[in-house]
């Protein structure tokens, strides 16, 4: 069975710029040959079973090209298979019951983060906010909210993550996307 994939679009449907209707996103994905296509929320979360087995980077490039062709602006896209999404959830360093699902962010990275880039970042100076480095994901716990977090601003500076594309989703969203991916796999069968 082909593992389902999740495409995370960055910076769409925020304010008035870069509008991507979810119905059209599903149509574009289906037009690329993907099956069991579905979206979650209005913020660029796409679940699909790939029509052809290819590396996630190739699926991301094809979807990004289709989006730019359709809407006339570049949309950064990160594609993760369900295996990587499940691994990110399983590796969550914060024990159940110690966080609200909307206050734990998963910052997905297009490649590995260099821990040396974070050496100057004193977590105690930003308490109660906290972060941990995972496998191509940063876990960011912001009990008072992401918009109020100085740690988030510091953590996501482009100088810390040179050459990496990032996109952020909450624990709640990641769990829902994994559930949708598992359902898509069941719907398409072996």
């Amino acid at each position: 069975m082909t593992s389902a994939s999740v495409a995370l679009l960055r910076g769409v449907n925020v304010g008035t710029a870069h509008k991507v209707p979810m119905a059209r996103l599903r149509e574009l994905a289906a037009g690329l040959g993907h099956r069991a296509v579905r979206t979650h929320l209005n913020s660029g979360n796409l679940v699909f079973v790939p029509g052809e087995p290819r590396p996630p980077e190739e699926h991301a490039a094809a979807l990004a090209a289709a989006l730019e062709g359709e809407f006339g602006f570049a949309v950064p896209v990160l594609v993760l298979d369900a295996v990587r999404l499940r691994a990110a959830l399983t590796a969550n360093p914060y024990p159940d019951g110690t966080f609200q699902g909307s206050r734990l962010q998963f910052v997905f990275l297009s490649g590995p983060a260099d821990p040396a880039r974070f050496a100057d970042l004193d977590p105690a100076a930003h308490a109660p906010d906290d972060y941990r480095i995972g496998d191509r994901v940063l876990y960011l716990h912001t009990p008072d909210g992401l918009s109020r977090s100085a740690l988030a601003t510091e953590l996501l500076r482009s100088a810390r993550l040179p050459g990496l594309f990032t996109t952020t989703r909450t624990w709640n969203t990641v769990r829902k996307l994994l559930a949708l991916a598992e359902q898509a796999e069941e719907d398409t069968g072996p």
Side-chain angles (χ1 to χ4, degrees):
M1 171 181 18
T2 302
S3 177
S5 292
V6 175
L8 305 174
L9 284 62
R10 182 174 178 200
V12 300
N13 301 339
V14 179
T16 58
H18 298 139
K19 293 293 185 190
V20 175
M22 294 299 99
R24 187 63 186 131
L25 175 60
R26 290 189 298 273
E27 291 168 0
L28 289 172
L32 293 171
H34 302 313
R35 299 170 290 142
V37 176
R38 43 191 57 116
T39 53
H40 176 61
L41 302 174
N42 193 38
S43 55
N45 301 302
L46 174 74
V47 175
F48 61 94
V49 173
E52 293 182 35
R54 291 187 190 164
E57 298 79 16
E58 289 185 23
H59 289 302
L63 185 56
L67 287 162
E68 186 165 7
E70 176 74 13
F71 297 106
F73 52 84
V75 177
V77 178
L78 183 65
V79 172
L80 317 169
D81 63 24
V83 173
R84 182 173 166 201
L85 200 63
R86 188 176 296 107
L89 279 165
T90 301
N92 170 27
Y94 300 99
D96 284 344
T98 64
F99 61 88
Q100 291 180 342
S102 63
R103 302 298 171 104
L104 178 58
Q105 310 294 323
F106 286 55
V107 182
F108 290 102
L109 311 170
S110 59
D114 178 1
R117 296 244 179 221
F118 302 91
D120 68 323
L121 196 55
D122 178 14
H126 297 284
D129 292 357
D130 186 48
Y131 78 97
R132 307 287 168 82
I133 301 172
D135 179 19
R136 293 180 293 160
V137 62
L138 300 175
Y139 300 93
L140 176 60
H141 184 220
T142 57
D144 296 327
L146 187 63
S147 64
R148 296 179 180 173
S149 176
L151 177 61
T153 301
E154 220 15 71
L155 187 68
L156 299 176
R157 285 187 312 128
S158 59
R160 288 198 194 282
L161 302 164
L164 295 180
F165 160 65
T166 67
T167 190
T168 303
R169 300 298 187 275
T170 67
W171 161 265
N172 291 343
T173 298
V174 174
R175 285 186 44 174
K176 180 62 177 178
L177 290 172
L178 180 59
L180 289 172
E182 290 169 344
Q183 184 62 53
E185 290 173 350
E186 287 178 22
D187 290 350
T188 57

